[in-house]
């Protein structure tokens, strides 16, 4: 009989809103598999407040390097502003830990390739948080699509129509290429189109537009894209922080059914609706209903999937090619929008300005000090 897997020693880097509100409850839900041993934040008051909630046995540090040296955790959860993700992920991998980092995993494909090199050198893995892939509704939908149960995917809509006010953008790291990496394409809509890519697989071509219509930001506050998938399906993608009636939506019309997901910041089984085509036998359509177990999309669900992979010594979901594909889609959307030309999958490599930065040094979009 094999021994149960050991409890993993976990550290968090960043103790702000997402770590306190989502990672800490996820750690609590998996308390039999993980032990939170350390927390890092440069803001000592925030760190103290976090440790008050998380428990006195959680060691506090104001430096990630000092924490890694002293604690040698098995797993590091990163919830700092995006500009810090690459360096903190690489440092944690070098210290022998696995990483689960908030979205976006890093600011560019060049930064991603640094992380991939650090994975290769360390033997560890770095996953990105895209919690919407992990709810039972999404797992079921992907299974139905990939098994061909719904027929060939033909046309899809992917909509992130959210609303963010000036107060939201008053936080200094938001709305700037160097610190946030982009606007709603990188920060908000990335959840929904990550799920679309997860459902429909590889894309082949992107055409796009971006605009800065309302906010005093460097990056866009709105983007739209047309996407051709490798298997022929066409999709539209909208990433907006300008939309008073907020909704997150994915619709995929397949030959035998329409699949619709409607939610805002998280889904459960009831948020998924399947409408059969007229020619479909009702008995077949009944089998599409969501699974009996209802696992909401959440950090808890994703952490569980990562811990399963850890126990099996396997690459965790949301790492490697999965993580890179979503970042490549973001880079392609920006390149297509800013150049006005279609972008093909795989074309953005070293030497391409959109490999190094999402703004691609485009004179109308790059930070002013860079042009
Ligand atoms: N998955 C999701 O649904 C979701 C939702 C919201 C935010 N996020 C992501 O989470 C990340 C953090 O967002 P947030 O809203 O929690 O921000 P936040 O500002 O509330 O928290 C960030 C924390 O990082 C700390 N920090 C800054 N520099 C640091 C450093 N060098 N070392 C250690 N700590 C440092 C800050 O002091 C702060 O406590 C972002 O990447 C964001 O995109 C994800």
């Amino acid at each position: 009989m094999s021994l149960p897997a050991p409890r993993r020693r976990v550290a968090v880097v960043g103790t702000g809103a997402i770590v306190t509100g989502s990672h800490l409850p996820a750690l609590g839900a998996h308390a039999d598999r993980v032990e939170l041993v350390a927390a890092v934040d440069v803001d000592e008051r925030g760190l103290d407040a976090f440790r008050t909630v998380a428990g006195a046995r959680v060691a506090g540090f104001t430096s990630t390097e000092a924490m890694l040296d002293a604690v040698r955790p098995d797993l590091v959860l990163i919830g700092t502003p995006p500009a810090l993700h690459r360096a903190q992920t690489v440092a944690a991998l070098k210290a022998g830990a696995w990483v689960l980092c908030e979205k976006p995993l890093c600011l560019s494909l060049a930064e991603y390739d640094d992380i991939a090199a650090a994975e290769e050198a360390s033997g560890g893995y770095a996953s990105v948080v895209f919690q919407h892939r992990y709810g039972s509704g999404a797992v079921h939908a992907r299974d139905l699509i990939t098994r061909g149960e719904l027929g060939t995917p033909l046309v899809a809509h992917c909509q992130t129509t959210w609303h963010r006010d000036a107060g939201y953008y008053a936080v200094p790291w938001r709305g700037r290429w160097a610190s946030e990496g982009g606007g709603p394409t990188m920060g908000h809509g990335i959840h929904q189109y990550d799920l679309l890519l997860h459902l429909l697989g590889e894309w082949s071509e992107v055409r796009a537009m971006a605009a800065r219509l309302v906010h005093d930001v460097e990056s866009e506050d709105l983007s739209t894209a047309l996407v051709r998938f490798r298997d022929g399906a066409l999709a539209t993608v909208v990433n907006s922080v300008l939309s008073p009636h907020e909704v997150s939506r994915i619709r995929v019309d397949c030959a035998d059914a329409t699949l619709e997901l409607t939610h805002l910041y998280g889904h459960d089984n009831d948020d998924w609706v399947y409408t059969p085509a007229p020619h479909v036998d009702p008995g077949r359509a009944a089998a599409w209903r969501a699974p009996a177990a209802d696992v909401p999309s959440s950090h808890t669900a994703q952490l569980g999937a990562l811990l399963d992979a850890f126990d099996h010594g396997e690459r965790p979901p949301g790492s490697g090619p999965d993580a890179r594909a979503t970042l490549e889609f973001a880079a392609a959307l920006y390149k297509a929008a800013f150049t006005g030309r279609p972008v093909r999958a795989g074309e953005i490599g070293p030497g391409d300005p959109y490999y190094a930065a999402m703004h691609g040094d485009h004179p109308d979009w790059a930070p002013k000090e860079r042009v």
Side-chain angles (χ1 to χ4, degrees):
M1 213 173 69
S2 57
L3 291 171
R7 273 172 98 203
R8 310 294 173 185
R9 298 170 64 255
V10 180
V12 295
V13 177
T15 59
I18 199 67
V19 169
T20 303
S22 297
H23 289 272
L24 190 57
L27 291 166
H30 293 287
D32 54 333
R33 308 177 77 184
V34 292
E35 179 188 8
L36 180 60
V37 293
V40 183
D41 205 300
V42 289
D43 172 0
E44 290 192 48
R45 281 178 47 191
L47 178 62
D48 289 346
F50 177 82
R51 291 174 67 220
T52 304
V53 181
R57 282 181 300 126
V58 177
F61 294 84
T62 52
S63 145
T64 300
E65 287 68 25
M67 181 278 291
L68 291 169
D69 278 349
V71 175
R72 294 277 149 192
D74 300 311
L75 173 63
V76 176
L77 308 180
I78 298 177
T80 50
L84 302 168
H85 291 178
R86 183 201 64 83
Q88 291 171 340
T89 297
V90 168
L93 286 168
K94 280 189 177 157
W98 285 26
V99 175
L100 178 58
C101 179
E102 271 304 334
K103 45 57 63 172
L105 177 53
C106 53
L107 302 187
S108 65
L109 285 168
E111 286 199 357
Y112 178 78
D113 288 344
D114 280 355
I115 291 172
E119 275 192 334
E120 183 80 23
S122 71
Y125 298 109
S127 285
V128 57
V129 176
F130 283 125
Q131 69 268 27
H132 301 309
R133 286 185 178 204
Y134 299 88
S136 49
V139 172
H140 182 63
R142 185 167 192 259
D143 180 58
L144 290 174
I145 290 175
T146 50
R147 285 194 294 110
E149 269 299 310
L150 307 181
T152 306
L154 302 170
V155 54
H157 303 264
C158 174
Q159 176 187 344
T160 302
T161 34
W162 293 1
H163 194 262
R164 295 292 180 270
D165 62 13
Y168 176 86
Y169 282 107
V171 174
W173 60 265
R174 295 211 174 105
R176 316 216 150 267
W177 294 107
S179 48
E180 193 172 17
T185 311
M186 277 293 267
H188 308 80
I190 197 167
H191 277 297
Q192 232 52 228
Y193 66 73
D194 173 76
L195 182 52
L196 182 77
L197 299 179
H198 189 55
L199 293 174
L200 294 188
E202 291 180 46
W203 56 275
S204 57
E205 181 186 337
V206 174
R207 297 163 190 243
M209 290 187 185
R212 194 192 292 123
L213 296 185
V214 170
H215 292 294
D216 180 17
V217 287
E218 277 178 354
S219 54
E220 85 290 1
D221 52 21
L222 171 66
S223 70
T224 64
L226 299 176
V227 189
R228 189 188 303 279
F229 281 83
R230 189 84 71 196
D231 291 341
L234 301 183
T236 62
V237 176
V238 176
N239 307 302
S240 163
V241 286
L242 309 179
S243 306
H245 179 196
E246 294 190 298
V247 70
S248 309
R249 192 165 7 231
I250 288 182
R251 171 179 171 136
V252 183
D253 294 301
C254 303
D256 296 344
T258 293
L259 169 167
E260 288 167 282
L261 165 66
T262 307
H263 68 122
L264 185 54
Y265 297 137
H267 56 75
D268 57 27
N269 285 352
D270 286 346
D271 297 320
W272 297 78
V273 174
Y274 295 86
T275 306
H279 62 266
V280 170
D281 179 78
R284 183 178 158 211
W288 298 337
R289 276 196 213 110
D294 192 355
V295 179
S297 67
S298 65
H299 286 64
T300 301
Q302 178 162 6
L303 181 60
L306 182 140
L307 293 170
D308 291 346
F310 214 141
D311 292 350
H312 293 110
E314 292 168 355
R315 173 175 281 291
S319 67
D322 274 356
R324 196 180 195 284
T326 303
L327 212 55
E328 185 189 356
F329 184 85
L333 191 158
Y334 281 119
K335 182 176 180 182
F338 297 169
T339 63
R341 291 198 295 268
V343 173
R344 298 195 176 276
E347 79 169 50
I348 303 177
D352 187 313
Y354 292 87
Y355 177 77
M358 292 289 168
H359 54 68
D361 268 335
H362 189 282
D364 296 341
W365 287 95
K368 292 300 169 235
E369 62 271 20
R370 288 176 57 99
V371 291

